Amino acid sequence: MSSAVLPGSATPKARQITTNPRTSDKVFRGVVTSFGFSALVLLTLIGIFLAVRGFQTFSTEGFHFVTGFKWDVSTDEAGKITYDMGIGAMLVGTVLVSTVALIVGVPLSVSVALFLTFYAPARIKTLLVSVVDLMASFPSVLFGLWGFFVLMPMATYWAKLIYKYLHWIPIFSAPQPYFERSPFIAGLVLAIMIIPIVTSVSREVFAQTPLDRVQAAYALGATKWGMIRAVVLPFGSSGVVGGAMLGLGRAFGETVAVYTILNLVFRPNWHVLFGAGGNIASLIILKWGEATGLETKALLAAGFILFLMTLVVNMAANFIVSRTLKSGK
Amino acid sequence: MSTTEVKPLRPWAITPKQMIPSALIFSGSFFITLLVLAFTPLKGKLAFVVFFFLFSSLANTIYSVRKRGRKALGETVAASLIFGGSLIVFLPVFSILFTTVRKGVAGLHLTLFSQSMANASFLDPVGKGGLLHALIGTLYLILIAMIISVPMGIMTALYLTEIKGPGSRFIQFIVQAMSGVPSVVAGLFIFSAIILTTPIKASALAGAFALAILMIPTVTRTSQEVLLLVPSDLREAGLAMGATQWRTVATIVVPAARNGLITATILGVARIAGETAPLIFTLGGADKINLNPFKDYNSALPFYVWKGLSLGTPESIARAWSGILVLIVLVLSLFIAARTLGTQKMKK
């Protein structure tokens, strides 16, 4: 049966078939693509602006800016300002505080992730996942306040205990018995701040463990922990490393909480328990109010170095995490 | 013939009889810990927690080894370590919430939401002044940051999910890198790129620019996840009906993902509402109400808290606590809104 053609209507002219997108699609794709690349533009602009503003510092201070320990800006009688600026002590402090945060935070995060993925009953699990997410959305100034007024009195006591029994280990010794506002306490607060991100990445990776391998382990008679040790941890370990590096990036850049707790001293200090430390982000906040001229530029240069550090750590972390997640599929 | 109701059996469920040993173990270790604390020089909450944990895991391990053999040793030790670690993580959350409420409520007073600090100082007794100026400033910041970053974030997500252009993997990488930009760097960037070079000076607008940089990656990543959840059948149906890609995305994909996109926006706002560091460079910090977001210094809740904290007197710190209470209520309600929207979507 042929298709009914209404009387009086002409056969419509055949449409031209083309693979060229319509104008509306061209505009749409163009606009969306340009927005897509805006992130790249922004990131490049951040790097360029901070580098250009800080360039003068790099050229006058040279490599000394990274290795120097002093931060002196003095004006002599003639009104000539001399600068001696170096962020070496702050770099050492940043690494120290972040290391404490990782050493404390990562094992805890892994245990929470394991608990949530393999041990917790379903109902408790959803609740606790929300709590971890909520922890991530606490403002950093709140961590600063809580760390200073609630955690510090307790943590000072813990620091004294550690010092009393372990002071023969070089890193736990202290030149003077002053334990408040130490890198140890700042590291503890940072540990709490990085736990949500490390936990959620680890959880995501653990959940991607191939089910056949899990079931194979159980079928061979493995206990739960035996299964985790034989299947989950080998599979997820690189993802945990990636998550820890994401946490490290966060710890590098954390400003307000660390500034509130840490006692900034322009001298390299490796004694974790001793109340003197450094942190690049906190240095910027500390000196910002009174900085003028070249000092402001030096702070922008310090910001540039911080930006580079976090960028490198983050990119490596994302690379590791995405590779692990892909290998499970 | 009548049908008999068969109750589903749950042979794996824990019977009361099985609970007796664990109850005994925990109460036993509790009393032993109390005894140890009473008769040795060890004192304090820390010692109690440590010893209680030690004794209970030890007793638990011995019990399961006796019952199930040596295989159970590693199993029980690992389980108690994992459980203890999780407990340590969740304690600070409750401590933080509890302290905020307890100290924040002490600083609440009648004029807190109706006055600014224009005629009061942070050092005055707590009853004077209020944080209306900071609340208005925060609302401006959130609004402007939303106007900038929501279109940018959603458009970037559309690029990554709908267009899937040649650069999309690279852009994905860049967006992830951008979400790691420290907030202090975002503030410094806006200071050097906008405040130093353009006529825009420290104001709510400049602050919102800095916050937008932090918000864009959050919005992008969440929107992307949501857009990926839209079934590709819907897209194909649209295209099969002869719609252009633009029509498909605008009338089918985006409406289907609407709730999720709102969730993405809310999560983005929650991300930036408490940011302090970028505002130090870009907001100026005012003590009176400034209704013009484009000109002159403004304030914000985190900035108010920051100021109270850095002045360091009992009165100013009490103000800081009440400020953080208001802020956390704001963040919490955003968080709950995002959750409810998120679960609603899943139920459909």
Side-chain angles (χ1 to χ4, degrees):
Chain A
M1 198 182 109
S2 66
S3 61
V5 176
L6 291 173
S9 74
T11 323
K13 225 169 77 183
R15 246 189 330 167
Q16 203 187 358
I17 293 173
T18 169
T19 50
N20 281 346
R22 304 284 179 86
T23 322
S24 66
D25 261 8
K26 276 185 193 155
V27 171
F28 170 68
R29 293 175 79 97
V31 169
V32 171
T33 308
S34 56
F35 268 107
F37 279 88
S38 64
L40 177 65
V41 173
L42 265 178
L43 208 61
T44 322
L45 279 180
I46 294 176
I48 290 175
F49 264 98
L50 293 182
V52 166
R53 299 274 177 207
F55 179 72
Q56 204 181 344
T57 316
F58 293 125
S59 57
T60 53
E61 300 277 327
F63 202 63
H64 175 74
F65 182 67
V66 180
T67 53
F69 292 132
K70 275 200 207 128
W71 191 281
D72 282 332
V73 179
S74 49
T75 315
D76 60 13
E77 294 93 29
K80 188 175 174 295
I81 308 172
T82 48
Y83 297 96
D84 179 9
M85 295 174 291
I87 55 168
M90 299 296 118
L91 271 174
V92 170
T94 307
V95 172
L96 185 65
V97 171
S98 314
T99 312
V100 174
L102 282 191
I103 290 174
V104 176
V106 172
L108 289 177
S109 310
V110 172
S111 70
V112 174
L114 286 177
F115 179 71
L116 290 176
T117 322
F118 297 106
Y119 288 86
R123 198 173 284 175
I124 296 180
K125 183 181 165 177
T126 34
L127 179 74
L128 292 186
V129 169
S130 307
V131 173
V132 172
D133 289 349
L134 176 69
M135 215 168 148
S137 64
F138 280 164
S140 58
V141 65
L142 173 59
F143 282 106
L145 264 175
W146 178 82
F148 194 87
F149 290 105
V150 181
L151 184 69
M152 186 127 79
M154 288 193 260
T156 313
Y157 173 65
W158 304 340
K160 279 178 190 158
L161 278 184
I162 298 175
Y163 177 72
K164 195 171 160 194
Y165 295 108
L166 295 174
H167 62 92
W168 43 272
I169 301 175
I171 201 162
F172 291 133
S173 63
Q176 286 139 40
Y178 174 64
F179 301 113
E180 284 188 344
R181 310 191 64 188
S182 63
F184 168 67
I185 303 174
L188 286 186
V189 173
L190 268 187
I192 301 172
M193 298 181 74
I194 65 167
I195 278 173
I197 185 159
V198 185
T199 304
S200 62
V201 173
S202 310
R203 210 165 58 80
E204 207 177 322
V205 174
F206 291 157
Q208 289 278 338
T209 316
L211 195 61
D212 48 354
R213 287 186 224 171
V214 175
Q215 286 169 340
Y218 280 139
L220 288 169
T223 56
K224 191 175 264 181
W225 171 243
M227 186 278 291
I228 291 174
R229 218 178 45 174
V231 177
V232 178
L233 292 183
F235 170 79
S237 56
S238 59
V240 172
V241 170
M245 284 174 73
L246 278 183
L248 184 67
R250 172 115 200 249
F252 276 165
E254 184 42 54
T255 317
V256 170
V258 176
Y259 175 79
T260 312
I261 289 159
L262 202 60
N263 181 23
L264 284 190
V265 174
F266 290 91
R267 188 177 55 209
N269 170 32
W270 281 107
H271 307 291
V272 187
L273 302 177
F274 182 56
N279 182 274
I280 298 179
S282 307
L283 162 85
I284 298 170
I285 299 266
L286 176 75
K287 293 286 177 189
W288 188 258
E290 68 222 31
T292 49
L294 204 54
E295 198 182 358
T296 310
K297 286 187 175 152
L299 292 177
L300 290 170
F304 178 65
I305 288 174
L306 181 64
F307 173 67
L308 282 189
M309 280 166 70
T310 50
L311 203 63
V312 168
V313 169
N314 262 305
M315 283 185 162
N318 285 320
F319 180 70
I320 295 173
V321 171
S322 59
R323 212 185 45 185
T324 316
L325 284 179
K326 235 174 254 158
S327 73
K329 275 169 194 163
Chain B
M1 218 175 102
S2 65
T3 52
T4 44
E5 287 263 320
V6 180
K7 253 181 121 182
L9 291 175
R10 299 176 65 210
W12 61 86
I14 299 166
T15 57
K17 202 177 152 194
Q18 281 168 315
M19 279 166 74
I20 294 174
S22 5
L24 278 179
I25 284 168
F26 280 105
S27 51
S29 2
F30 185 77
F31 283 115
I32 294 176
T33 316
L34 282 186
L35 284 178
V36 166
L37 290 200
F39 292 106
T40 58
L42 295 159
K43 291 276 171 295
K45 279 175 274 184
L46 178 68
F48 180 82
V49 172
V50 169
F51 279 97
F52 180 62
F53 181 69
L54 275 182
F55 287 140
S56 54
S57 6
L58 196 69
N60 216 357
T61 312
I62 292 171
Y63 172 73
S64 29
V65 168
R66 284 202 58 128
K67 203 171 170 212
R68 296 195 284 159
R70 285 226 19 230
K71 276 273 171 59
L73 181 69
E75 175 83 3
T76 324
V77 170
S80 31
L81 280 181
I82 288 173
F83 189 71
S86 313
L87 208 64
I88 293 178
V89 171
F90 291 112
L91 278 181
V93 185
F94 298 115
S95 167
I96 288 173
L97 285 176
F98 176 74
T99 325
T100 311
V101 172
R102 193 169 56 94
K103 301 217 175 185
V105 166
L108 292 183
H109 53 87
L110 276 177
T111 57
L112 193 68
F113 295 104
S114 60
Q115 282 187 17
S116 71
M117 296 299 284
N119 302 317
S121 145
F122 270 75
L123 312 177
D124 285 341
V126 171
K128 275 187 159 181
L131 45 69
L132 185 63
H133 62 301
L135 207 57
I136 291 173
T138 287
L139 290 183
Y140 273 141
L141 286 172
I142 289 176
L143 202 68
I144 300 172
M146 264 171 70
I147 292 173
I148 299 167
S149 58
V150 170
M152 282 184 83
I154 292 180
M155 285 289 196
T156 310
L158 282 178
Y159 176 74
L160 293 174
T161 56
E162 303 301 318
I163 296 205
K164 299 195 193 98
S168 59
R169 282 194 58 188
F170 178 62
I171 292 298
Q172 173 87 51
F173 194 64
I174 292 295
V175 168
Q176 279 173 347
M178 198 174 159
S179 69
V181 169
S183 56
V184 63
V185 168
L188 282 178
F189 166 62
I190 293 301
F191 178 82
S192 64
I194 289 187
I195 295 182
L196 283 184
T197 49
T198 65
I200 300 170
K201 295 298 164 216
S203 60
L205 183 67
F209 281 147
L211 295 182
I213 291 177
L214 303 169
M215 190 169 164
I216 289 170
T218 314
V219 177
T220 306
R221 296 177 73 171
T222 325
S223 314
Q224 194 195 350
E225 275 170 34
V226 172
L227 288 171
L228 283 176
L229 285 180
V230 175
S232 40
D233 299 7
L234 287 182
R235 294 189 185 97
E236 284 154 16
L239 294 175
M241 300 286 282
T244 57
Q245 191 180 19
W246 150 244
R247 295 272 294 194
T248 314
V249 170
T251 59
I252 298 175
V253 177
V254 169
R258 197 192 64 215
N259 270 358
L261 295 179
I262 296 172
T263 309
T265 309
I266 296 175
L267 285 180
V269 172
R271 163 82 178 78
I272 58 155
E275 277 297 344
T276 319
L279 302 180
I280 293 172
F281 311 104
T282 53
L283 194 62
D287 280 334
K288 55 176 187 286
I289 295 169
N290 175 8
L291 287 176
N292 185 352
F294 305 109
K295 232 183 103 204
D296 296 336
Y297 290 177
N298 217 314
S299 188
L301 280 175
F303 198 90
Y304 176 89
V305 175
W306 173 247
K307 198 169 174 186
L309 178 62
S310 34
L311 285 172
T313 67
E315 291 83 13
S316 73
I317 287 169
R319 281 176 214 277
W321 278 113
S322 52
I324 202 91
L325 179 64
V326 177
L327 186 59
I328 204 97
V329 167
L330 181 75
V331 172
L332 255 180
S333 37
L334 286 171
F335 188 77
I336 291 170
R339 281 276 136 153
T340 0
L341 268 178
T343 47
Q344 259 180 12
K345 199 183 152 285
M346 270 197 243
K347 271 178 200 154
K348 266 180 197 170

